[in-house]
Amino acid sequence: RGPAGRRMAAAAFERRVLRRAAEHHYLRVRLELPDGGARPNATQFKQLMVTALRELHGEVGAALPVDVLTYEEKTLSAILRVISSGLVKLWSALTLLGFYQNRRCAFRVLQTSPFLLALAGNSRELVL
């Protein structure tokens, strides 16, 4: 019973579960090159990811299907699509990559989601 002796209705909760796991995962990543220098174009960026996968996971890792959906050379940021079963391989390879053209570098995974729309906006960058 609630305030004033009225009977409270039970809250109805509905649980929704995806019937099957998402086929792809999407990542928003940024490449950090602290010393300036030449910036990779879209092709070089993709090749850098393949190199990272090959160094950590061998030829099998390099064959992982990864798509660069968007790439901004100005900010060195991209949105990637990978099959869900390869998410951990890609993430670990990018995290452990340390050099680009004999210069120190680091990949930062900013966001990840099984839904592309979730990467459309970042609440951490929201200006009110």
Side-chain angles (χ1 to χ4, degrees), residues 4-70:
R6 289 183 297 189
R7 179 172 255 187
M8 301 278 294
F13 292 100
E14 184 176 335
R15 183 176 179 193
R16 293 184 182 228
V17 179
L18 294 175
R19 291 185 181 249
R20 63 183 181 95
E23 186 176 347
H24 293 94
H25 262 75
Y26 301 89
L27 295 90
R28 179 187 304 275
V29 298
R30 183 178 63 235
L31 178 63
E32 295 182 0
L33 295 169
D35 62 352
R39 295 171 170 267
N41 62 29
T43 305
Q44 293 166 327
F45 188 85
K46 168 78 177 194
Q47 187 59 43
L48 184 59
M49 288 189 309
V50 172
T51 301
L53 284 162
R54 181 176 289 116
E55 286 179 4
L56 188 61
H57 301 291
E59 290 302 317
V60 173
L64 185 69
V66 179
D67 299 312
V68 179
L69 300 181
T70 65

Side-chain angles (χ1 to χ4, degrees), residues 2-128:
R6 289 183 297 189
R7 179 172 255 187
M8 301 278 294
F13 292 100
E14 184 176 335
R15 183 176 179 193
R16 293 184 182 228
V17 179
L18 294 175
R19 291 185 181 249
R20 63 183 181 95
E23 186 176 347
H24 293 94
H25 262 75
Y26 301 89
L27 295 90
R28 179 187 304 275
V29 298
R30 183 178 63 235
L31 178 63
E32 295 182 0
L33 295 169
D35 62 352
R39 295 171 170 267
N41 62 29
T43 305
Q44 293 166 327
F45 188 85
K46 168 78 177 194
Q47 187 59 43
L48 184 59
M49 288 189 309
V50 172
T51 301
L53 284 162
R54 181 176 289 116
E55 286 179 4
L56 188 61
H57 301 291
E59 290 302 317
V60 173
L64 185 69
V66 179
D67 299 312
V68 179
L69 300 181
T70 65
Y71 175 65
E72 294 180 28
E73 193 171 332
K74 181 179 177 183
T75 60
L76 298 175
S77 60
I79 294 180
L80 312 176
R81 178 177 64 191
V82 63
I83 57 171
S84 292
S85 62
L87 176 65
V88 173
K89 282 184 180 179
L90 177 61
W91 198 330
S92 60
L94 294 179
T95 301
L96 295 174
L97 184 73
F99 288 92
Y100 169 69
Q101 294 182 345
N102 296 321
R103 297 181 300 158
R104 299 288 301 166
C105 74
F107 268 103
R108 302 290 182 228
V109 177
L110 306 174
Q111 287 180 285
T112 181
S113 174
F115 307 105
L116 180 58
L117 189 58
L119 274 58
N122 184 351
S123 62
R124 295 177 186 191
E125 297 172 354
L126 185 64
V127 178
L128 298 175

